[in-house]
Amino acid sequence: MKTILVTGGAGFIGSNYILYMLKKYADIRLINLDKLTYAGNLENLRSIEGDERHIFVQGDILDKTLVSGLFKTYQPTAVVNFAAESHVDRSIENPGIFAETNIMGTINLLSCARAAWETADGSYPAEVKFLQVSTDEVYGSLGETGFFTEETPLCPHSPYSASKTSADLFVMAWHDTYGLPVNITRCSNNYGPYQFPEKLIPLMIHNATNKKNLPVYGNGLNVRDWLYVEDHCKAIDMVLENGRNGEVYNVGGHNERTNIAIVKKVIALVQQKVDPTVTESLITYVTDRKGHDLRYGIDPEKIRRELGWQPDTPFEEGIELTIDWYLNNGDWLHNVTSGGYMAYYDKMYKNR
Ligand code: NAD
Ligand code: DAU
């Protein structure tokens, strides 16, 4: 039986990964270490309550005693590190916590993994691997043309992407210096169930269904490359199983859209499915994000060629699945948007 230490498994992508893995593999054990910040939510994992293959531990990836204790108790042969502060806007307001969690937290996980796995002669068992879940934002911004490949120079702009880039460099340092077996995945924008409604798509769904303004940054012409979250989970699984040691794999499905096109798509679906009076008049152009990257676009050729990965869910299908999920899970949305969320929302959008 394979045991994986999954960090951040109560967040958006982490919880989707846990559900994906438990569905796919009968003989597996997932140790889920999550601090349960505002973005972590055990409701995401309600459908697997009582499943003994999933062991949840509330805690911080920065906690050395806790993390090394988990290695001793459960002897995982893989780490998949999702745990992070993940929201660019929050990183602009409060960069310090991004350095702590995303950089120092990753360093702590690397140290604990090395301490647990390195043998007396400095080698590692064949089955162990540290997989860092990274982002295309480490490459910075594209102009009108071209794509990010794994050879694109690292050029992050936001405090969030600077912290993720730094973490990637530490992961490679542990590989190059101590021989730790590693992979890094760099994925484009994800969307799907359980995404916290500070991110573009769920925020627009939440606002449109409540007939609130839809705040579009700048002119709305920035481009993101959207991938359904389950396709990202599939890529991580494939890289963990068969990725070549020390390699980076970009993950994306060639699905670039301007932000305004995404917002209009959400409006059209909400109008059709829930309320015919929801219209584009809700769109409100607001002050742009500081340092706003113009365009992201992934070249996924390496992961396709080496591992046979390709996305299964076209955007038209994925966005409908996503909207249906939010419409059918009003309680989830209500629970995460009460309390602290409104204070955050007012701070970000009230005077913008
Ligand atoms: P998220 O914000 O939804 O979830 C992050 C999770 O990490 C939460 O459950 C939170 O409680 C947990 N966490 C935060 N700090 C922690 C700490 N110190 N110790 C333990 N747990 C902690 O994020 P997400 O969107 O699911 O992203 C997951 C990972 O994927 C991140 O590393 C992010 O950089 C990366 N990524 C995200 C996207 C995207 O579009 N969302 C795309 C590419 C890569
Ligand atoms: O590219 C991968 C990255 O995608 C991940 O590494 C990050 O963790 C994830 O948050 C996401 O970052 P973005 O900044 O691209 O996502 P966000 O949903 O915050 O914004 C998407 C685009 O929409 C971006 O151009 C800003 C714009 N936007 C966002 C919000 C929240 C708006 O116009 N209005 C909004 O209210």
Side-chain angles (χ1 to χ4, degrees), residues 65-218:
T65 311
L66 174 65
V67 176
S68 55
L70 293 178
F71 273 97
K72 285 202 181 77
T73 307
Y74 298 108
Q75 312 217 325
T77 53
V79 174
V80 180
N81 182 25
F82 292 98
E85 288 295 332
S86 69
H87 195 43
V88 173
D89 289 330
R90 288 184 192 253
S91 82
I92 294 166
E93 295 297 303
N94 182 19
I97 182 78
F98 284 72
E100 283 164 29
T101 295
N102 300 0
I103 306 173
M104 298 310 293
T106 301
I107 290 175
N108 188 41
L109 292 171
L110 289 163
S111 302
C112 293
R114 178 185 170 215
W117 293 340
E118 193 178 29
T119 61
D121 67 1
S123 68
Y124 292 80
E127 68 274 18
V128 304
K129 185 180 279 181
F130 189 104
L131 191 154
Q132 175 72 358
V133 181
S134 187
T135 166
D136 59 359
E137 297 200 14
V138 300
Y139 299 120
S141 184
L142 292 165
E144 300 291 327
T145 58
F147 297 102
F148 296 135
T149 73
E150 290 78 1
E151 274 69 52
T152 302
L154 302 176
C155 185
H157 296 128
S158 71
Y160 162 72
S161 53
S163 70
K164 292 294 290 185
T165 308
S166 186
D168 283 11
L169 293 176
F170 276 102
V171 170
M172 290 316 297
W174 251 252
H175 172 264
D176 296 349
T177 309
Y178 308 114
L180 187 76
V182 304
N183 280 126
I184 296 174
T185 54
R186 295 188 179 137
C187 190
S188 60
N189 285 62
N190 285 213
Y191 69 101
Y194 305 113
Q195 188 167 31
F196 193 79
E198 63 190 352
K199 306 289 200 294
L200 181 70
I201 290 181
L203 186 138
M204 294 300 156
I205 297 172
H206 179 243
N207 282 17
T209 50
N210 288 289
K211 286 248 189 95
K212 282 174 70 172
N213 285 342
L214 307 177
V216 173
Y217 298 170

Side-chain angles (χ1 to χ4, degrees), residues 136 139-153 186 188 223-226 250-257 295-302:
D136 59 359
Y139 299 120
S141 184
L142 292 165
E144 300 291 327
T145 58
F147 297 102
F148 296 135
T149 73
E150 290 78 1
E151 274 69 52
T152 302
R186 295 188 179 137
S188 60
V223 171
R224 295 293 181 265
D225 187 357
W226 295 94
N250 285 353
V251 184
H254 278 308
N255 180 46
E256 292 182 39
R257 315 264 159 164
R295 176 177 160 247
Y296 304 145
I298 283 275
D299 177 355
E301 177 54 23
K302 180 176 174 181

Side-chain angles (χ1 to χ4, degrees), residues 215-326:
V216 173
Y217 298 170
N219 61 10
L221 295 179
N222 298 65
V223 171
R224 295 293 181 265
D225 187 357
W226 295 94
L227 185 74
Y228 193 61
V229 62
E230 205 170 83
D231 284 321
H232 186 189
C233 297
K234 181 172 91 163
I236 291 169
D237 180 33
M238 286 175 143
V239 172
L240 191 62
E241 286 301 309
N242 294 313
R244 283 188 294 128
N245 183 13
E247 293 293 313
V248 173
Y249 292 91
N250 285 353
V251 184
H254 278 308
N255 180 46
E256 292 182 39
R257 315 264 159 164
T258 60
N259 294 335
I260 192 67
I262 292 284
V263 174
K264 287 182 176 173
K265 182 77 192 171
V266 170
I267 294 169
L269 286 169
V270 170
Q271 190 179 70
Q272 175 201 322
K273 286 171 186 282
V274 227
D275 183 350
T277 68
V278 168
T279 67
E280 291 181 8
S281 63
L282 290 175
I283 293 172
T284 312
Y285 290 92
V286 300
T287 310
D288 209 352
R289 175 183 277 174
K290 289 187 175 72
H292 198 174
D293 286 339
L294 176 67
R295 176 177 160 247
Y296 304 145
I298 283 275
D299 177 355
E301 177 54 23
K302 180 176 174 181
I303 190 169
R304 191 200 60 75
R305 190 182 62 247
E306 288 192 13
L307 306 179
W309 177 86
Q310 56 177 30
D312 294 324
T313 310
F315 184 72
E316 293 302 321
E317 187 186 328
I319 190 71
E320 223 172 311
L321 284 172
T322 303
I323 293 198
D324 288 344
W325 186 87
Y326 280 93

